[in-house]
Amino acid sequence: MNVFKKYRINSIFFGSFFLFTLLILIIIILFSYRYSANQIVETTTEHQKNNLYRLSEELGSNLKTFQDYSVILSRQQMFREVISGRQSSGTTSLTNDFSNVIYSVPAIHSVEIYMNSPPVDNVQYPVRYFELDEVYEAEWYKDLENISYSWLGTRDVETMAGQHSVISLGRKINSSRGELQSMIVINLDPVTVESWLRKYHEDSHMVLLDEKGSIVSSTGNNDIGDEQYQELIDFSHTEETFFDSPSQDQLQIDNDIIVTTSIPAVNWTVMEVTPYEDIIQGSKEMARTLIVIGFLATIIVLFGTMFLTKKFTDPILELTKVMKSYQLTKSRVSLPSGYKNEFGELFNGFDELTNRVEELYASLDEQHQHQRKAEIKALQANINPHFLYNTLDQINWVAIEKGNIDISRMIELLGNMLRIGLSKGESIISVGDELKYLEYYMKLQEIQLEDRFSYTIDSPREVLDYFIPKLTLQPFVENAIIHGFRDRREGVVKLAITEEDFQLKIEISDNGIGFPTNTNLQKENDLGGYGIKNVMERLHIYYGEKTTMSIDSNDKGTSVFILIPKVNDKKLLSG
């Protein structure tokens, strides 16, 4: 049903103009809300990252200090004589010495000493003695079995007031023959760790994870241990730290924004959990204000639309009335006078106006086409390749000065890719340039994936001068790297180009995980999404039925075979 044919023009004009204005107001409100919310989230998380960065360095320094305490205590002469049996009467002095250290460092809760023939243990003292054989039965000993010291996570120790939770650091003391002679465990008070977490974020929910992904300490009321945060705990297992510099990340789980920072000194992770609703509260207030303003504006638009509708439609309704009442046998009814605009022209000659409108539309369409071409040329002119090359070159020198050789190499490869990729706006390049572009790309992947990726390119010199659509081969290699090697296997990509009569045969193979070959290739995510689908469509556009492509895939890898005609004249494809 065509509403423009069924309903009166004043109703259509009023309704469409009003709804269009209302829609614009709704779009403005939604856009303002979303934009402000994103900006607030971005600003908040950036601020949190800066604070977490400083906090991670301080936490690392504090925890490293406790590691140093364990070394100092384990090297005391009295302690060495007691655990070796040379000073059996010196346990009282040892207890006093260790107790003085504990009392002078409020963060240390207690010290546990495991040794052969320990003295009688007294729960009243912060220094406890246990049989060395108990170490082998402890579940936490597996963390120390092959190393000299390790953080043991949270434990419960017995005190005069009952069980008390502590964070423990264990250090082994071996004899000169390499046998376990003693074990010293320093227990850190969790309250002290929680006070460290609150230093920069008094009201925030902070969580500290050890290297095993276990929660060491936290603030706030959020239940971090729930399954909904398993993704966050898994992140702490896989995050790597380079050059002793804290690495950072952020993600959103359910309705919380999570900002994480590693602690390189102990390979721990500290994170801040902020409810998304708390961050965007200001955006909601602004949205409510805009809704009120929008409602008032809608009322104004309503009456304004009614007024404009009447002014615009009255002359047309008058003309319609005259046209309906016009008869040859009756005298001509005079139309309203005084209109010196388009309405006046409409009254003076409707037929002539119709012809002029058609000419006007044709002229506007032509003008629009010219304007569109001019805009495209203007946009293309804004892309200045020399600016990109110079900028990359400057970044490259900065990377070299800072000693980031890999980054420098990656920037250099990216610059080479841009030189070929831009190609002065040309879409057809030589096979040699296409292979150079692909080689630069795979060298980038070699640097990124380190020893997990390698490649070979086998092409005779004779095929390098033929022409091919730009970026034909790269999507297949990208698909192999992203999807074929996603199980972190060592990937190998091989590319070979050979001549067969009047055609070039291209074979791209990998040792990836493969995929079902009976999958409907028209789906969006098949074979890496639109990249390979786009290549297939472009090859058919340029070569028609003269090009073919087949895919062979199993759990040992994927091979792509492409046949295209030999073209040694660029004009044959550019035309």
Side-chain angles (χ1 to χ4, degrees), residues 42 136 170 183 193 201 213 238 285 318 343 375 441 479 522:
E42 182 178 347
Y136 303 105
M183 175 77 72
V193 178
H201 304 264
T238 58
E285 293 293 336
E318 185 68 24
F343 289 124
E375 290 174 351
Y441 172 77
N479 180 70
Q522 298 302 319

Side-chain angles (χ1 to χ4, degrees), residues 43-107:
T43 302
T44 302
T45 55
E46 190 64 29
H47 176 72
Q48 291 175 343
K49 283 183 179 180
N50 292 334
N51 285 340
L52 280 182
Y53 189 92
R54 294 193 298 270
L55 177 60
S56 68
E57 291 185 332
E58 184 170 333
L59 288 175
S61 176
N62 292 339
L63 295 173
K64 186 69 168 58
T65 299
F66 282 93
Q67 294 178 178
D68 296 338
Y69 278 133
S70 69
V71 175
I72 295 173
L73 294 178
S74 67
R75 293 180 178 177
Q76 280 197 7
Q77 183 65 28
M78 179 67 69
F79 173 72
R80 291 288 181 171
E81 292 178 354
V82 168
I83 65 175
S84 64
R86 296 194 302 271
Q87 185 66 266
S88 58
S89 61
T91 56
T92 302
S93 298
L94 178 64
T95 301
N96 292 334
D97 289 346
F98 277 24
S99 297
N100 289 334
V101 174
I102 296 172
Y103 295 143
S104 64
V105 183

Side-chain angles (χ1 to χ4, degrees), residues 15 28 54 62 192 315 478 485 551:
I28 292 174
R54 294 193 298 270
N62 292 339
T192 301
E478 180 181 2
F485 309 146
I551 300 174

Side-chain angles (χ1 to χ4, degrees), residues 482-537:
I482 294 177
H483 301 285
F485 309 146
R486 60 188 176 191
D487 59 346
R488 302 186 66 83
R489 65 174 63 191
E490 293 185 2
V492 179
V493 173
K494 298 180 180 180
L495 185 144
I497 301 179
T498 56
E499 295 185 80
E500 289 188 3
D501 297 331
F502 300 99
Q503 289 184 313
L504 293 179
K505 181 180 179 182
I506 304 172
E507 179 180 356
I508 306 171
S509 60
D510 63 74
N511 63 337
I513 61 177
F515 66 94
T517 55
N518 58 354
T519 305
N520 181 7
L521 299 183
Q522 298 302 319
K523 294 183 180 179
E524 173 182 341
N525 293 322
D526 291 335
L527 299 177
Y530 288 117
I532 295 179
K533 179 181 177 182
N534 178 266
V535 172
M536 296 169 61
E537 293 175 349

Side-chain angles (χ1 to χ4, degrees), residues 368-523:
H368 175 75
Q369 295 297 331
H370 288 302
Q371 182 178 357
R372 182 60 178 165
K373 291 179 180 179
E375 290 174 351
I376 293 175
K377 289 182 179 180
L379 290 174
Q380 292 175 341
N382 285 333
I383 303 176
N384 190 333
H386 296 289
F387 170 78
L388 294 176
Y389 303 154
N390 293 337
T391 302
L392 286 176
D393 187 61
Q394 293 173 2
I395 297 174
N396 184 24
W397 279 109
V398 173
I400 292 175
E401 291 176 357
K402 293 184 178 296
N404 295 326
I405 304 304
D406 285 345
I407 294 179
S408 171
R409 179 58 177 155
M410 294 176 75
I411 293 173
E412 180 183 358
L413 292 172
L414 178 59
N416 292 335
M417 289 178 65
L418 284 174
R419 284 184 171 88
I420 298 176
L422 293 176
S423 303
K424 298 180 180 180
E426 296 181 358
S427 59
I428 305 300
I429 61 176
S430 67
V431 173
D433 286 342
E434 178 73 4
L435 292 181
K436 287 181 182 178
Y437 182 93
L438 184 61
E439 187 172 12
Y440 294 146
Y441 172 77
M442 291 194 287
K443 286 182 178 179
L444 275 173
Q445 300 304 317
E446 271 190 331
I447 296 174
Q448 178 184 354
L449 301 177
E450 297 179 345
D451 59 343
R452 291 200 307 106
F453 173 71
S454 61
Y455 69 92
T456 60
I457 297 178
D458 183 15
S459 61
R461 174 65 185 83
E462 294 76 16
V463 306
L464 301 182
D465 294 329
Y466 293 112
F467 291 94
I468 190 173
K470 184 168 59 181
L471 299 183
T472 295
L473 305 180
Q474 186 267 345
F476 296 96
V477 177
E478 180 181 2
N479 180 70
I481 295 173
I482 294 177
H483 301 285
F485 309 146
R486 60 188 176 191
D487 59 346
R488 302 186 66 83
R489 65 174 63 191
E490 293 185 2
V492 179
V493 173
K494 298 180 180 180
L495 185 144
I497 301 179
T498 56
E499 295 185 80
E500 289 188 3
D501 297 331
F502 300 99
Q503 289 184 313
L504 293 179
K505 181 180 179 182
I506 304 172
E507 179 180 356
I508 306 171
S509 60
D510 63 74
N511 63 337
I513 61 177
F515 66 94
T517 55
N518 58 354
T519 305
N520 181 7
L521 299 183
Q522 298 302 319
K523 294 183 180 179

